Amino acid sequence: MRSILHAFQRAVHEKVFPGAVALVRSRGTVVFHEAVGTRGVPPDDQPVRRESMYDLASLTKPLATSTATLCLVQDGCLHLDQPVSRWVEELRDSPVAGVVLRQLLSHRSGLPAWRPYHEQLAPAGLPPRNEEERRQRVHALLNAIAREPVEYRPGSQSLYSDVGFMLLGVIVERCAGLPLAAYCRRRIFEPLGISSLAFIGGDDAETEDPAKIVPTEWDRWRNRLLCGEVHDENAYALGGSAGHAGLFGTAHAVGLLSAAWLQAVQGRDGFLSAALAKRFTHRESGTSSWALGWDTPSAPSSSGTRFSTRAFGHVGFTGTSLWIEPSRELEVIILSNRVHPTRTNTAIKTFRPHIHDAIWQEWGGR
């Protein structure tokens, strides 16, 4: 365990990130939960604490949007083979009208990876003032997606797509009859007893102590250091909660939801259906590592070289990651703000696989 702590401390020294919180659980027991480094560069250089809250970035996809989709399928409200036009009338005459939900979840929809929709939705760099303005922005977003030409024939290949998950977030909201933040809180987080896992910003989001939240980047578009507001520009333009980004959390909170997924994938019905959880974490295609909202290891992988093909996980742009190895009951959560003070720091790409290999060597054989 000391060698793992030293590896994180060395990463701080080498400026991989200002600070980080890591949590490792082996066979149901937390064997490592440490905070290293500082919240940010001076003057915000107070020590990181285990209860520090991070912008989870794309961990929003599996932890919020995909989990919400599974719950709606489990409750009989959604079906994975429903076309998007069933829920999004704005797309009825678009190239992706017939794309089904499983193709959105597995990044096989034909939609592009990313578009700067925020420039159109929020030209002044301001969030929506109220729920009505947010609805108008969502409608404008859907009209913009409807005009997108497909990058490839849906289902024929995969391309990691924020746009697809933005659309999926809207589908969850329309099916649930609630904003994504509210649905996730009421249907997922509260029943599991999870606090400090929330969308921040907007009328339906949780209010967290700002002192707990670590900063991300100095953003030129918003002309300020971001702290307590979502780093992703498109999510910000939609009010802070979107299908692809917007979730904030502590390592402990992420671990509680990770445990629910691991339990289900191991075949133990509980909060999540075991059959559906296995389906969501199984590769959709032999040519892609993507499952339904989750990634699986493929060389090279951020999970290193030791996690098996049964493993599943995801990373976030801000410097976050979660990898779960069911065969060893091993869960690895790493939360950092590697984008502070700038996103040009990409040293975490080298650090991630090495630290996962080291963690496997320490606890993977138990």
Side-chain angles (χ1 to χ4, degrees):
M1 184 169 73
R2 190 179 301 274
S3 64
I4 303 300
L5 179 58
H6 285 170
F8 277 101
Q9 292 169 335
R10 187 167 60 252
V12 170
H13 178 72
E14 294 174 354
K15 295 183 169 51
V16 174
F17 35 64
V21 180
L23 187 150
V24 180
R25 187 163 42 227
S26 174
R27 302 198 182 279
T29 299
V30 174
V31 292
F32 185 87
H33 188 191
E34 298 290 342
V36 298
T38 61
R39 289 168 45 88
V41 299
D44 195 3
D45 55 352
Q46 294 82 19
V48 173
R49 304 188 183 281
R50 293 196 301 182
E51 60 271 20
S52 292
M53 201 167 188
Y54 284 81
D55 181 334
L56 301 179
S58 282
L59 286 188
T60 301
K61 293 180 175 78
L63 296 179
T65 310
S66 298
T67 305
T69 302
L70 184 151
C71 288
L72 288 167
V73 172
Q74 184 171 307
D75 295 343
C77 302
L78 276 181
H79 302 285
L80 291 174
D81 291 313
Q82 283 179 330
V84 297
S85 57
R86 162 68 176 81
W87 296 101
V88 186
E89 190 173 306
E90 294 91 334
L91 300 182
R92 284 195 181 279
D93 297 320
S94 77
V96 294
V99 165
V100 297
L101 300 190
R102 71 167 64 253
Q103 291 172 330
L104 288 179
L105 285 161
S106 58
H107 302 283
R108 295 169 62 80
S109 66
L111 285 167
W114 179 83
R115 289 287 187 267
Y117 294 126
H118 63 282
E119 295 175 355
Q120 170 190 341
L121 301 178
L126 298 173
R129 291 167 294 183
N130 48 49
E131 184 57 28
E132 176 56 32
E133 186 171 335
R134 181 178 185 271
R135 280 195 291 268
Q136 292 172 2
R137 291 192 184 186
V138 169
H139 182 67
L141 168 70
L142 295 173
N143 285 335
I145 293 175
R147 294 191 295 270
E148 294 283 0
V150 292
E151 301 275 318
Y152 55 87
R153 181 171 54 83
S156 65
Q157 55 182 282
S158 67
L159 174 68
Y160 181 75
S161 175
D162 274 5
V163 178
F165 265 77
M166 293 170 76
L167 177 55
L168 193 58
V170 174
I171 292 171
V172 168
E173 291 191 336
R174 292 188 175 180
C175 179
L178 287 169
L180 180 64
Y183 179 74
C184 288
R185 184 173 68 250
R186 298 177 195 181
R187 179 63 177 84
I188 303 166
F189 306 152
E190 288 179 352
L192 286 172
I194 303 175
S195 59
S196 295
L197 187 63
F199 290 92
I200 296 177
D203 295 339
D204 297 292
E206 288 287 293
T207 300
E208 292 290 339
D209 178 4
K212 287 177 57 179
I213 305 171
V214 302
T216 52
E217 190 173 22
W218 178 273
D219 182 34
R220 292 183 180 179
W221 180 55
R222 284 169 268 187
N223 195 33
R224 59 179 174 271
L225 177 66
L226 305 181
C227 187
E229 59 182 310
V230 63
H231 178 263
D232 183 272
E233 296 92 344
N234 284 331
Y236 172 80
L238 293 171
S241 59
H244 69 299
L247 197 64
F248 286 69
T250 64
H252 173 72
V254 172
L256 292 175
L257 189 48
S258 168
W261 273 94
L262 177 57
Q263 174 184 318
V265 168
Q266 290 179 315
R268 304 196 302 270
D269 276 312
F271 179 76
L272 301 176
S273 156
L276 282 173
K278 289 177 181 178
R279 196 172 180 183
F280 271 62
T281 55
H282 186 269
R283 289 188 182 190
E284 278 289 286
S285 163
T287 60
S288 169
S289 65
W290 288 103
L292 300 181
W294 291 97
D295 200 5
T296 63
S298 60
S301 173
S302 64
S303 65
T305 61
R306 306 295 297 276
F307 280 65
S308 75
T309 55
R310 286 191 58 204
F312 58 99
H314 212 286
V315 301
F317 183 80
T318 51
T320 60
S321 62
L322 165 63
W323 280 99
I324 303 170
E325 174 57 81
S327 65
R328 304 301 176 105
E329 297 185 48
L330 182 66
E331 302 159 75
V332 181
I333 299 155
I334 300 173
L335 306 184
S336 82
N337 55 339
R338 69 95 193 163
V339 295
H340 180 80
T342 171
R343 69 181 68 191
T344 59
N345 176 15
T346 60
I348 199 168
K349 290 183 179 179
T350 301
F351 173 76
R352 273 186 182 132
H354 288 320
I355 196 64
H356 281 87
D357 280 350
I359 288 169
W360 181 278
Q361 185 173 343
E362 185 77 25
W363 292 290
R366 297 186 181 182

